Amino acid sequence: MSVAALHKVEMTPKEYKSDVAPVWCPGCGHYGILNGIYRALSELGVDPLNLMVFSGIGCSSRTPYFIDSYKMHTLHGRAGAVATGAQLASPEKAVLIVGGDGDGFSIGGGHMPHMARKNVNMTYILYDNGIYGLTKGQYSPTSRPEMTAYTTPYGGPEEPLNPLLYMLTYKATYVAQGFAGKPRDCAALIKGAIEHKGFSYVNIFSQCPTFNKIDTVKYYRDLVGPISEDHDVTDRGAAMELARREPNKKVPVGLFYKEDKPTLDERVAEFVTRVGGKPDYDLNKVLDLSRP
Ligand SMILES: Cc1ncc(C[n+]2csc(CCOP(=O)(O)OP(=O)(O)O)c2C)c(N)n1
Ligand code: SF4
C-alpha cells in the first residue's frame, strides 16, 4: 500500500499496542515480528483509522488483536481472500495480512498466487517458524525434513517449499526476507513493504522454541546473512537465483525484488471509467434470467 497520500499521525511504536497483550510462549519469535510492525507503523505515521489488519488462524494469526487498527481474524488460510475484497472496497486504506507458514502455504496455499498475480495493493507478512504452533507442533510446508514433530516422529519425507521462489514466480512486486531476532531489520523491510504500491510479501523466520526444537535462534543467526549491496532489486531473475536454497550456503535476508506496476484497484478503477461507471453488457442476458 502506498501510504504517502494518507493522513499521518505522530505515534510511538508503543502507542500502536492495543489493550490486548500477546499470550505467546516466552522466547517465541513472533514477539520480534510484532515489534517490527509497531516500529514500521510508527515510522510511517500510519493512522490506526486508516489501517486494516487481517489474519487466518494460528499463533501468528493472533497478531491483529495486538495492533490498534481495524481488524479481522478470518478463517484458517482465508485472510488473503478476505483482505483482497476489503482492499478493493476501501482502496484508500493500508491493508496488512499476518499469518503462519501453515496458514499461508498449507490450507491457504491456493490463495497465495492470486494475491501476487493480481498485484493487490497490500502487504503480507508471513511468520515462518517451520511448524504449526497453535495446534501443538505438526510438520508444515516449510519444515526441514530432519525436524521431528508429534505427527512425524522420524522426520519428514518431503522437500520444504521455498516461499520466496513461490512469490517471485507468481510476480509479487515486493519480496523480502527477514529474521525475527532482528526486529529493527524486520521493521525496515515491513516499512518498505507498507510503502510499496502493489502486493508486497515479507517472509520472516521466527523461532518456535516450544515445538520446533531444531530451528532455534542460534540456528537462524548462523543461517542468515545480508544480501550483497550490488544485488539489483529490479532483476527478478537475480532475485530468484538469490532465493534458491543451497546446502552450506547462507540464506539471504533483505530486499530481494521490487517493481512498480498497476495494482488491481487501479485497473478496476480504470475499467469502471472506461465503461462510464456502468457495465457495457446486459446483465440479464449474461445471466440469462429468463431461463427456468
Ligand atoms: C479449517 C481448519 N483446519 C484446521 C485448523 C487447525 N489449525 C489451526 S491453526 C493451524 C496451523 C497453524 O500453524 P501456522 O499457520 O504455521 O501458525 P503458527 O501457529 O505456527 O504461528 C491449524 C492446522 C483450523 N483452525 N481450521
Ligand atoms: S507454540 Fe510456538 S509459535 Fe505458538 S506461541 Fe508458542 S513458541 Fe510461539
Side-chain angles (χ1 to χ4, degrees), residues 138-175:
Q138 295 82 24
Y139 204 73
S140 98
T142 61
S143 299
R144 289 196 280 147
E146 53 270 47
M147 187 193 73
T148 53
Y150 290 150
T151 48
T152 47
Y154 306 107
E158 303 158 12
E159 277 288 314
L161 177 148
N162 184 321
L164 296 191
L165 277 181
Y166 194 110
M167 283 302 160
L168 288 162
T169 301
Y170 286 107
K171 307 263 173 74
T173 52
Y174 179 107
V175 177

Side-chain angles (χ1 to χ4, degrees), residues 17-244:
K17 290 186 180 183
S18 70
D19 47 14
V20 180
V23 286
W24 292 317
C25 310
C28 176
H30 296 356
Y31 287 104
I33 303 176
L34 180 62
N35 284 333
I37 296 174
Y38 290 143
R39 180 177 283 272
L41 293 172
S42 167
E43 287 180 11
L44 290 168
V46 177
D47 184 340
L49 293 174
N50 279 331
L51 176 64
M52 302 193 285
V53 188
F54 295 88
S55 68
I57 306 293
C59 297
S60 39
S61 288
R62 288 177 160 159
T63 300
Y65 292 114
F66 314 137
I67 302 175
D68 186 10
S69 63
Y70 291 107
K71 62 202 71 175
M72 191 170 172
H73 197 178
T74 72
L75 298 176
H76 193 26
R78 307 292 174 236
V82 177
T84 298
Q87 199 287 325
L88 283 177
S90 302
E92 73 292 352
K93 299 261 187 287
V95 178
L96 206 60
I97 304 163
V98 283
D101 37 291
D103 189 74
F105 285 113
S106 282
I107 193 166
H111 295 287
M112 293 304 238
H114 304 293
M115 289 177 261
R117 76 177 174 85
K118 292 176 188 177
N119 201 25
V120 189
N121 196 2
M122 58 190 186
T123 294
Y124 198 123
I125 304 173
L126 191 122
Y127 297 38
D128 185 0
N129 59 7
I131 198 151
Y132 295 179
L134 187 76
T135 43
K136 300 190 183 296
Q138 295 82 24
Y139 204 73
S140 98
T142 61
S143 299
R144 289 196 280 147
E146 53 270 47
M147 187 193 73
T148 53
Y150 290 150
T151 48
T152 47
Y154 306 107
E158 303 158 12
E159 277 288 314
L161 177 148
N162 184 321
L164 296 191
L165 277 181
Y166 194 110
M167 283 302 160
L168 288 162
T169 301
Y170 286 107
K171 307 263 173 74
T173 52
Y174 179 107
V175 177
Q177 181 155 262
F179 163 44
K182 300 203 165 202
R184 279 174 193 262
D185 295 352
C186 290
L189 296 171
I190 294 167
K191 183 179 170 192
I194 298 174
E195 272 180 318
H196 175 72
K197 186 170 72 66
F199 183 71
S200 47
Y201 176 81
V202 188
N203 199 75
I204 305 187
F205 296 123
S206 177
Q207 71 279 2
C208 170
T210 307
F211 295 113
N212 183 339
K213 299 292 183 189
I214 64 167
D215 295 340
T216 59
V217 175
K218 182 178 179 330
Y219 166 76
Y220 283 128
R221 278 198 201 290
D222 295 343
L223 181 77
V224 300
I227 292 179
S228 138
E229 277 179 14
D230 55 19
H231 168 63
D232 177 1
V233 296
T234 65
D235 183 339
R236 188 184 296 272
M240 291 178 93
E241 197 51 44
L242 205 59
R244 286 178 50 211

